[in-house]
Amino acid sequence: MSFRHEIRIGGRVAGVDEAGRGPLAGPVVAAAVVLDPDCYPDGLNDSKLLTPERRAALRLLLEDCAEIGVGMASVEEIDTLNIHWATMLAMERAIAALPKPCGHALVDGNRLPRWSHPATAIVGGDALCLSIAAASIIAKTVRDAIMEGLCPEHPGYGWRTNKGYGTPEHQAALAALGVTPHHRRSFAPVRARLSIG
């Protein structure tokens, strides 16, 4: 984990990552983060390798010392565009939400949104590049908070713990309670439940 990619490119470089491609419910969220190489928190890493408590602590530290943009695509957009292009849209919105434009974007993965500014896709970037790791933490904590906030409105689906992923608990709730407005109707388990009626 280093600043190697950011230093090689130079200028204002934003790391970009997403959270929520796989769940059956909720939006997909992307974040763009421009780090100050002289002031960033220790312990940045792929958000999946951090505990929820550590992610939350790092998010607070990043909000104090980094430039952050967050974008999301709704369930309706996911169902209309498909999850890939909805993710790209969320990334475009995250870059647009930065306080100041970036000169280059480093994007986790092997595909880039259809934007006009310079960008580089880095497979496994959230475990290699500090700014992408920071973006993964922001995207994950924002999305988790959204799903937890939906729990009182839709009890029984276990979103506080499963965050909308298709766990056995969530699948059982779909069968027992039905499909909510927050479920992705284009995803096979939800589509199957709708076909049953």
Side-chain angles (χ1 to χ4, degrees), residues 33-36 39 61-68:
V33 177
V34 178
L35 290 177
D36 178 349
C39 178
L61 293 171
L62 286 166
E63 288 174 342
D64 281 342
C65 67
E67 295 178 36
I68 297 170

Side-chain angles (χ1 to χ4, degrees), residues 2-189:
S2 72
F3 263 118
R4 177 170 58 90
H5 295 283
E6 293 91 337
I7 291 170
R8 176 177 55 82
I9 293 164
R12 288 175 48 75
V13 178
V16 182
D17 201 4
E18 55 72 28
R21 285 180 65 101
L24 305 181
V28 60
V29 176
V33 177
V34 178
L35 290 177
D36 178 349
D38 296 320
C39 178
Y40 63 90
D42 290 331
L44 294 177
N45 204 342
D46 176 356
S47 64
K48 296 184 292 295
L49 302 179
L50 301 170
T51 65
E53 296 76 19
R54 185 62 181 147
R55 284 195 297 265
L58 285 168
R59 176 182 174 180
L60 291 176
L61 293 171
L62 286 166
E63 288 174 342
D64 281 342
C65 67
E67 295 178 36
I68 297 170
V70 174
M72 58 188 78
S74 68
V75 168
E76 293 79 13
E77 289 170 323
I78 292 168
D79 288 338
T80 300
L81 301 172
N82 76 40
I83 186 59
H84 171 74
W85 289 114
T87 300
M88 298 295 106
L89 178 61
M91 289 182 174
E92 292 173 30
R93 290 170 173 168
I95 284 286
L98 284 168
K100 293 183 288 187
C102 69
H104 196 101
L106 297 173
V107 180
D108 185 53
N110 61 2
R111 300 283 296 276
L112 294 172
R114 293 169 175 161
W115 52 31
S116 58
H117 61 265
T120 304
I122 302 176
V123 175
D126 49 6
L128 299 171
C129 176
L130 282 166
S131 60
I132 296 178
S136 78
I137 291 165
I138 298 296
K140 173 69 172 163
T141 54
V142 168
R143 190 183 185 281
D144 284 357
I146 290 170
M147 297 310 298
E148 291 169 16
L150 292 173
C151 287
E153 182 183 352
H154 298 285
Y157 293 89
W159 290 342
R160 190 173 304 281
T161 52
N162 65 47
K163 305 301 189 285
Y165 282 88
T167 62
E169 173 192 30
H170 191 178
Q171 302 263 18
L174 261 179
L177 303 174
V179 176
T180 74
H182 304 288
H183 279 99
R184 301 172 180 181
R185 283 153 172 73
S186 57
F187 278 42

